[in-house]
Amino acid sequence: LFICIDHVGLAVPDLDEAVKFHSEVFGWRELHREVNEEQGVAEAMIGTGEQGVENAKIQLLAPLNENSTIAKFIDKNGPGIQQLAYRVADLDHVSEVLRERGLRLLYPEAKRGTAGSRINFVHPKDARGVLLELVELPKDAAEH
Ligand code: MC0
């Protein structure tokens, strides 16, 4: 069903500060940044920065406002790992298979994720305590 781990998402209170920390301390590099109003986040994708190979990626997620799921997560748990994202080739197919297997998907239809990807989530209560994101990359996406 799954191609690979697309990214691990960390809830952070301050995006710039988080990018600086992960760059300076761990040597990650910023690959992409955007605001996703629908999801209530400002996000930065950071990676190993290697050219020509698939990057391991971490998504830093900062809340846009106090109603954001990320604000709620940080209030409850503090900053930390908020999600695990699996890359899939066909999101609609995988969503259907997982529904058949009794899991709740959060959205009836795919929503827009990072850089034009299509996304949905498995409810954390149905994935043993992990908020599982499913990501289908746009057809023209570079793999790294
Ligand atoms: C909540 N729970 C979690 C969790 N969030 N467990 C593991 N990981 C998480 N991230 C657990 C709580 O501890 C609680 O368990 C129960 O689920 C209900 O939580 P709640 O605090 O009442 O929160 P809800 O139900 O209001 O919201 C949880 C839900 C929400 C997962 C439905 O966060 C959501 O819709 N998430 C999907 C969207 C999202 O996360 N967007 C931001 C990333 P107990 O046992 O206490 O009942 S955007 C993104 O990722 C995009 C841009 C991308 O990658 O492309």
Side-chain angles (χ1 to χ4, degrees):
L1 279 184
F2 306 119
I3 297 170
C4 61
I5 292 174
D6 189 80
H7 62 267
V8 173
L10 310 186
V12 304
D14 178 328
L15 193 61
D16 288 331
E17 190 282 329
V19 170
K20 191 170 182 305
F21 173 80
H22 288 278
S23 305
E24 290 181 0
V25 177
F26 300 125
W28 292 86
R29 296 180 205 157
E30 186 173 325
L31 304 174
H32 176 80
R33 202 186 266 240
E34 74 178 77
V35 168
N36 187 325
E37 298 275 354
E38 185 180 33
Q39 292 292 330
V41 298
E43 64 151 288
M45 200 66 92
I46 58 175
T48 50
E50 297 295 317
Q51 296 299 309
V53 296
E54 172 91 43
N55 272 222
K57 288 184 295 182
I58 292 176
Q59 183 182 47
L60 303 173
L61 294 157
L64 281 183
N65 53 56
E66 69 273 16
N67 300 322
S68 164
T69 53
I70 299 300
K72 194 169 176 188
F73 181 90
I74 292 174
D75 280 349
K76 196 168 175 184
N77 309 287
I81 296 181
Q82 188 258 351
Q83 58 171 261
L84 171 64
Y86 290 166
R87 188 182 303 167
V88 303
D90 182 340
L91 179 63
D92 297 328
H93 170 69
V94 173
S95 300
E96 214 34 60
V97 170
L98 294 180
R99 282 193 190 98
E100 281 167 18
R101 293 179 185 174
L103 305 189
R104 279 169 296 166
L105 280 284
L106 291 185
Y107 310 132
E109 301 290 338
K111 289 192 187 279
R112 186 188 178 286
T114 307
S117 58
R118 299 175 73 238
I119 61 170
N120 207 331
F121 294 85
V122 177
H123 196 284
K125 290 295 171 195
D126 292 353
R128 303 295 194 268
V130 177
L131 175 60
L132 199 61
E133 182 181 347
L134 308 173
V135 184
E136 179 189 311
L137 296 182
K139 294 288 170 267
D140 57 355
E143 283 292 305
H144 10 268

